[in-house]
């Protein structure tokens, strides 16, 4: 019961502080002038938002997957024979799944930079 009362008290205090800061803050509604980019007093020449390369994103995702895979395959293990066999089998299974995924991406042309 004490935990529930503590939780409710913390929730009430934090929501009260949130609403107080929202009311007191000096921010006003956003206008067109505040949302536009500032370029030394001139109107912007081009759009400030550049398109993001999806190929770069895919390569970064593949790198992240292989990076996490290394942390899965190289754990600290005991010297018991059964644990080493289990580690070896799971490592091989993970490698096979990753190689099949890489092969699939390669065949679909996801790794090509120019199209």
């Amino acid at each position: 019961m004490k935990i529930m009362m503590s939780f409710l008290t913390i929730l009430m205090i934090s929501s009260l502080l949130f609403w107080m800061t929202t009311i007191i803050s000096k921010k006003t509604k956003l206008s067109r002038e505040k949302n536009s980019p500032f370029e030394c007093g001139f109107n912007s020449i081009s759009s400030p938002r550049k398109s993001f390369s999806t190929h770069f994103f895919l390569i970064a995702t593949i790198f992240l997957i292989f990076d996490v895979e290394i942390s899965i395959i190289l754990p600290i293990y005991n010297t018991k024979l059964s644990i080493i066999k289990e580690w070896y089998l799971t490592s091989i299974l993970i490698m096979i799944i990753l190689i099949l995924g890489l092969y699939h991406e390669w065949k679909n042309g996801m790794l090509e930079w120019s199209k």
Side-chain angles (χ1 to χ4, degrees):
M1 191 65 174
K2 286 183 179 182
I3 294 174
M4 188 62 137
M5 290 302 292
S6 298
F7 177 73
L8 287 175
T9 305
I10 291 171
L11 185 66
M12 287 175 57
I13 291 172
S14 61
S15 60
L16 179 70
L17 287 173
F18 173 75
W19 287 108
M20 284 177 58
T21 55
T22 304
I23 292 170
I24 295 173
S25 69
K26 293 183 180 180
K27 280 189 173 180
T28 59
K29 292 185 178 181
L30 298 175
S31 65
R32 184 173 89 67
E33 292 297 321
K34 287 185 179 179
N35 286 339
S36 65
F38 182 73
E39 293 183 6
C40 300
F42 299 104
N43 290 334
S44 60
I45 297 171
S46 63
S47 174
R49 302 199 186 269
K50 302 284 183 188
S51 61
F52 185 72
S53 173
T54 56
H55 291 288
F56 175 75
F57 178 73
L58 288 173
I59 296 294
T61 305
I62 291 169
F63 172 76
L64 183 65
I65 289 171
F66 279 100
D67 192 38
V68 169
E69 170 258 335
I70 288 173
S71 67
I72 291 173
I73 288 181
L74 299 175
I76 299 173
Y77 57 89
N78 294 333
T79 57
K80 294 181 183 177
L81 187 58
S82 63
I83 294 176
I84 291 176
K85 286 181 183 178
E86 291 174 8
W87 171 78
Y88 186 69
L89 288 175
T90 56
S91 298
I92 288 177
L93 180 66
I94 290 171
M95 287 298 290
I96 289 172
I97 291 171
L98 287 172
I99 289 172
L100 288 175
L102 184 64
Y103 178 74
H104 176 72
E105 289 175 353
W106 189 7
K107 281 301 193 185
N108 287 333
M110 295 290 183
L111 300 178
E112 295 177 12
W113 281 98
S114 61
K115 282 191 175 186

